[in-house]
Amino acid sequence: MYVTTIVKVYDSEPVRISDSAAIHHINECDLEMVSENLIIAGCSDYLPDAKRIKIGKGIFRARIYYWNLDSLSENGLEGDDSYEIHLWPNEEVAGIQILKDRNT
């Protein structure tokens, strides 16, 4: 199955996308890069053919936006859900933060 996923890389923390009803969940987490290339792949993708983005080594912060989660079928395999991931370098590990929880 295909799910729309956008990955954007920034030099510094980007402005947060305005909260809207369609954004169901937003969280942030750390990503420690030991290679310069980030591999973008789904669980059923063939790894050698997966998209690679050169972002460099080090600690990055990732902010993930989840759209239209209420469109998912009961088994989670069908729907109009989509995701956008913003990455930027960060000097320290900040842990996981939930900025918007779809259950609240």
Side-chain angles (χ1 to χ4, degrees):
M1 77 182 143
Y2 293 94
V3 178
T4 301
T5 304
I6 298 168
V7 177
K8 296 181 178 181
V9 181
Y10 296 89
D11 292 329
S12 61
E13 181 177 356
V15 173
R16 189 169 146 184
I17 294 176
S18 296
D19 202 5
S20 75
I23 301 174
H24 287 127
H25 195 82
I26 307 168
N27 68 292
E28 288 185 4
C29 61
D30 302 302
L31 174 67
E32 185 173 356
M33 293 290 298
V34 295
S35 167
E36 293 196 355
N37 293 310
L38 177 67
I39 299 173
I40 309 297
C43 59
S44 61
D45 288 339
Y46 182 58
L47 202 53
D49 293 340
K51 175 79 175 167
R52 284 158 168 76
I53 302 172
K54 187 172 184 172
I55 66 171
K57 295 180 181 180
I59 299 171
F60 286 79
R61 194 76 179 148
R63 182 179 298 141
I64 303 103
Y65 297 89
Y66 305 71
W67 273 280
N68 299 319
L69 295 178
D70 59 356
S71 72
L72 288 167
S73 63
E74 187 140 337
N75 66 5
L77 298 177
E78 303 285 335
D80 293 321
D81 55 318
S82 61
Y83 306 86
E84 188 165 318
I85 303 166
H86 295 182
L87 296 166
W88 66 93
N90 205 33
E91 292 186 15
E92 59 187 47
V93 173
I96 297 171
Q97 294 180 331
I98 303 206
L99 306 177
K100 180 176 182 178
D101 187 344
R102 79 180 280 204
N103 298 315
T104 59

